[in-house]
């Protein structure tokens, strides 16, 4: 057996899950938390070295999220409503406080990655690296007044929108089968947010943007373009997936796509069921490679935010995908690029040098 390659994963919603009311909290995360896809013991077992951990703000609607109604052909759409920015700010602040408490409780086990050096140190070391990401920026005002305080607290990545409208743009609503060319692009505030991220070296995630919003970021941003968790529209006509045209734009910018693990975006029949063979995920990864080249492809699980297939039920199963790809002829070099090498290159080109960083130690 060849040693497993350390993985930098592009997206999870674990902080939101464990720190939700009734979630297993800090102790659960450190010792083991059955209801979450990621906890520290299983992250170690699965070779997860680092990940983008999202601050994702749930809707205040108390109804549990259900699968949407389907038409006779199995098609469906789901349009999440906008949320109150005041609620988003309060919840962001609470989640960041929870995260700080987690870091303080387990400094030998968890690291907040603020620089590329921090990320390299966890890939070569034993701590789990957490890169803070905002999935939807409802906590930021149109004049961006909260952005620097969020940066100071460790945020190094953001998606202007989740799949709902806010002051920065219109997130792509969910749906299958569906184009992603729905709705207008970024607002003036959204365009200013992209420039402000470039100025500070904050990574911008394209994952929940519609086509016009995606192209607005591509036009404005001077950083490599990144979609942290998406699949291929050519293989599955989910509104959340990227067309080959979009993949070409990302590759030309020197960026990357983290292949999403969500069954609803991978299967191709628009269903969420877990009885999807892991080979389907490999097919999406290999399509990304075919269109963009292997230096532009990474992993973006969406653990704790989406339905996973039977063979990838939690983070401890990550070695199953690298073993499968190895069996399909992937070299150790190619797997290393997929698992973290491409991320390091993109972060090097996006985040400021540590020497110029304004982040506190
Ligand atoms: Zn997402």
């Amino acid at each position: 057996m060849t040693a497993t390659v350390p993985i930098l994963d592009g997206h999870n919603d674990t902080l939101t899950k464990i720190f939700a009311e009734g979630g297993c909290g800090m102790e659960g995360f450190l010792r083991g938390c059955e209801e979450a896809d990621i906890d520290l013991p299983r992250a170690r077992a699965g070779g997860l070295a680092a990940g983008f951990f999202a601050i994702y703000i749930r809707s205040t609607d108390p109804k549990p999220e259900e699968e949407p109604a389907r038409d006779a052909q199995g098609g469906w759409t789901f349009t999440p409503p906008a949320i109150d920015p005041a609620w988003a700010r309060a919840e962001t602040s609470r989640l960041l406080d929870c995260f700080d408490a987690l870091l303080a409780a387990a400094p030998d086990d968890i690291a907040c990655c603020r620089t590329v050096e921090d990320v390299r140190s966890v890939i070569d070391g034993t701590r789990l690296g957490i890169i803070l990401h905002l999935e939807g920026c409802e906590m930021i005002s149109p004049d961006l007044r909260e952005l620097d305080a969020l940066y100071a607290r460790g945020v190094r990545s953001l998606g202007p929108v989740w799949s709902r409208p806010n002051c920065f743009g219109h997130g792509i609503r969910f749906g299958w089968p569906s184009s992603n060319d729905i709705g207008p692009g970024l607002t003036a505030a959204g365009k200013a947010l992209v420039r402000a991220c470039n100025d500070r070296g904050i990574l911008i995630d394209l994952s929940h943007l519609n086509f016009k919003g995606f192209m607005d970021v591509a036009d404005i941003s001077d950083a490599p373009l990144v979609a942290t968790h998406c699949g291929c529209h050519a293989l599955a006509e989910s509104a959340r997936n990227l067309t080959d045209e979009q993949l070409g734009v990302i590759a030309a910018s020197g960026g990357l796509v983290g292949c999403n693990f969500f069954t609803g975006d991978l299967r191709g029949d628009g269903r969420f069921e877990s009885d999807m063979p892991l080979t389907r995920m490999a097919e999406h990864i290999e399509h990304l490679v075919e269109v963009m080249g292997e230096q532009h492809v990474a992993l973006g699980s969406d653990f704790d935010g989406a339905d996973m297939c039977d063979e990838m039920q939690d983070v401890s199963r990550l070695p199953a995908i690298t073993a499968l790809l190895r069996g399909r002829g992937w070299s150790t070099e190619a797997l290393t690029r997929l698992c973290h090498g491409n991320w390091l290159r993109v972060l090097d080109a996006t985040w400021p040098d540590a020497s110029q960083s304004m982040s506190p130690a």
Side-chain angles (χ1 to χ4, degrees):
M1 273 299 286
T2 325
T4 55
V5 183
I7 289 175
L8 198 179
D9 180 41
H11 187 83
N12 70 64
D13 290 311
T14 303
L15 294 177
T16 296
K17 177 109 182 186
I18 62 169
F19 293 126
E21 205 182 312
C24 60
M26 180 168 88
E27 286 300 314
F29 182 77
L30 295 173
R31 304 219 162 111
C33 173
E34 279 195 3
E35 66 257 39
D37 298 337
I38 297 180
D39 58 32
L40 183 64
R42 283 177 296 158
R44 289 200 163 126
L48 181 72
F52 286 76
F53 282 63
I55 305 285
Y56 164 71
I57 309 301
R58 294 174 178 216
S59 165
T60 45
D61 183 344
K63 266 204 322 275
E65 283 176 24
E66 293 161 14
E67 278 204 39
R70 294 170 189 276
D71 64 24
Q73 286 74 43
W76 59 276
T77 62
F78 171 57
T79 309
I83 57 168
D84 176 8
W87 153 252
R89 276 192 285 278
E91 191 61 2
T92 300
S93 157
R94 187 186 69 80
L95 286 169
L96 289 172
D97 289 346
C98 290
F99 173 64
D100 286 346
L102 175 67
L103 273 184
D108 297 334
D109 296 312
I110 313 266
C112 177
C113 293
R114 295 165 179 263
T115 65
V116 186
E117 287 65 33
D118 293 342
V119 179
R120 286 187 206 281
S121 81
V122 296
I123 283 173
D124 297 334
T126 57
R127 291 180 303 168
L128 172 64
I130 291 184
I131 301 166
L132 286 178
H133 168 75
L134 306 176
E135 188 169 33
C137 287
E138 283 84 359
M139 70 293 286
I140 299 178
S141 303
D143 66 5
L144 314 181
R145 78 184 80 146
E146 295 85 1
L147 187 60
D148 287 325
L150 290 164
Y151 187 92
R153 294 199 70 173
V155 170
R156 291 293 179 273
S157 170
L158 62 79
V161 291
W162 185 65
S163 287
R164 54 192 169 203
N166 65 22
C167 68
F168 301 115
H170 292 257
I172 183 71
R173 59 116 176 89
F174 298 99
W176 180 90
S178 174
S179 160
N180 61 15
D181 193 358
I182 301 167
L186 296 180
T187 63
K191 292 174 182 175
L193 177 61
V194 171
R195 291 187 195 97
C197 287
N198 282 170
D199 290 346
R200 290 159 179 77
I202 297 172
L203 184 135
I204 302 159
D205 183 12
L206 299 162
S207 294
H208 285 264
L209 282 162
N210 61 20
F211 183 84
K212 289 192 175 67
F214 175 106
M215 287 303 173
D216 282 340
V217 176
D219 284 345
I220 297 165
S221 179
D222 59 18
L225 298 173
V226 171
T228 63
H229 58 301
C230 284
C232 303
H233 205 270
L235 301 187
E237 291 178 74
S238 160
R240 272 270 289 111
N241 285 345
L242 299 170
T243 63
D244 287 356
E245 177 193 359
Q246 290 173 301
L247 299 181
V249 171
I250 289 173
S253 78
L256 66 75
V257 175
C259 185
N260 194 359
F261 296 8
F262 172 40
T263 53
D265 283 346
L266 298 182
R267 291 173 59 105
D269 62 2
R271 306 200 73 85
F272 297 7
E273 278 82 349
S274 66
D275 63 339
M276 178 195 87
L278 201 60
T279 50
R280 185 64 181 164
M281 196 192 298
E283 287 164 11
H284 277 261
I285 291 170
E286 289 171 355
H287 183 82
L288 292 170
V289 169
E290 199 181 302
V291 177
M292 297 194 291
E294 67 179 31
Q295 63 275 38
H296 301 292
V297 187
L299 301 173
S301 69
D302 213 354
F303 279 130
D304 287 313
D307 298 279
M308 301 285 137
C309 70
D310 292 328
E311 295 165 87
M312 191 55 69
Q313 281 292 300
D314 66 36
V315 67
S316 71
R317 308 299 305 278
L318 280 175
I321 186 63
T322 47
L324 175 67
L325 292 171
R326 217 182 265 285
R328 290 164 75 102
W330 282 57
S331 66
T332 297
E333 292 70 29
L335 284 172
T336 302
R337 275 192 281 273
L338 176 83
C339 290
H340 62 257
N342 291 334
W343 269 121
L344 288 173
R345 186 195 79 247
V346 166
L347 293 176
D348 260 328
T350 305
W351 289 355
D353 288 345
S355 56
Q356 300 166 10
S357 173
M358 50 181 143
S359 70

